[in-house]
Amino acid sequence: SCDQNSDFKAQGLYTSDVDGLLIEGNVFDHNGWNEDVEGACATMYTHNMYLGASRLVVRDNLILRASSQGVKMRSDATRHCTELLFENNFVFDGEIGIGFGGNEGVDYRFEDVTVRRNVFSETGRSDPQGRGLAWMLGLQDHDDALVEENYFLHQPWHTNAFGLNIAGNTARNVVVRRNTFHGLQQRSLW
């Protein structure tokens, strides 16, 4: 669907309530939309990966040109998604690189989150939906998060942009260290 109709949701990979998942050495490219196919438009509901999981490892993947998010982590309950590791991934283009959130305002939905040695590059480059977003990594409502040794590089011209955003009603025990922010248009850390 070419409108923002939530009835049409295509994902490269979708999981819900999984306990123990390894996603390693894959290429996720241009999932959920195709500008060459009539009616297969980019929307805010289509992602390369849409995940609800605990004891999750996402490692050594190419996550490229998503309709909206390269990886959307979803949790609508306190401590519903725990022990999450995102390591050594290359995340390119799309509107949002990796987003931890959900559609409910619930405290401490994500627990024990590590985002380490990833490269986020040119998020927002193709602007697939025309919304002008360039959000590289968003953490929302989490407990015990470590963001280290990542590269946040080369945002395009968009002004609705950030490298790392720590948000939500609740966030505690957050460590951000040894990251590189280069060529960003707006806030590196927000």
Side-chain angles (χ1 to χ4, degrees):
S1 173
C2 288
D3 58 16
Q4 297 293 347
N5 186 336
S6 65
D7 291 338
F8 301 98
K9 301 175 187 176
Q11 321 300 331
L13 175 64
Y14 174 84
T15 68
S16 178
D17 295 320
V18 175
D19 184 14
L21 176 62
L22 171 64
I23 302 170
E24 183 175 52
N26 300 286
V27 177
F28 292 88
D29 184 19
H30 209 266
N31 289 279
W33 67 297
N34 186 335
E35 63 270 28
D36 296 328
V37 175
E38 185 176 341
C41 299
T43 74
M44 66 183 174
Y45 298 107
T46 55
H47 314 291
N48 280 351
M49 288 184 259
Y50 189 119
L51 307 175
S54 288
R55 296 187 314 116
L56 168 69
V57 176
V58 179
R59 177 188 299 134
D60 298 329
N61 298 286
L62 297 175
I63 303 167
L64 315 169
R65 303 183 301 161
S67 166
S68 181
Q69 296 189 44
V71 180
K72 175 178 176 51
M73 285 300 303
R74 166 100 183 235
S75 175
D76 294 330
T78 299
R79 291 178 183 77
H80 188 245
C81 292
T82 64
E83 297 179 47
L84 309 174
L85 173 63
F86 292 79
E87 184 172 57
N88 297 329
N89 299 289
F90 180 72
V91 183
F92 175 79
D93 199 10
E95 291 186 321
I96 301 166
I98 299 175
F100 291 82
N103 299 356
E104 305 295 328
V106 178
D107 294 347
Y108 306 115
R109 295 177 274 173
F110 304 97
E111 184 176 52
D112 190 15
V113 176
T114 300
V115 182
R116 175 188 302 133
R117 292 190 296 273
N118 300 282
V119 175
F120 297 85
S121 182
E122 297 192 41
T123 304
R125 179 177 190 253
S126 65
D127 196 19
Q129 296 180 58
R131 297 191 307 169
L133 303 180
W135 302 351
M136 293 183 161
L137 175 60
L139 296 174
Q140 187 175 29
D141 297 325
H142 53 278
D143 191 6
D144 290 321
L146 172 63
V147 179
E148 70 176 354
E149 300 174 4
N150 298 285
Y151 289 89
F152 298 89
L153 308 172
H154 312 297
Q155 269 173 337
W157 56 92
H158 305 302
T159 57
N160 191 347
F162 58 78
L164 170 60
N165 182 22
I166 300 170
N169 297 325
T170 52
R172 67 180 172 199
N173 303 321
V174 180
V175 175
V176 177
R177 65 181 174 207
R178 296 189 302 269
N179 297 282
T180 300
F181 298 88
H182 177 75
L184 305 187
Q185 296 301 313
Q186 291 291 308
R187 305 164 200 92
S188 294
L189 179 59
W190 181 35

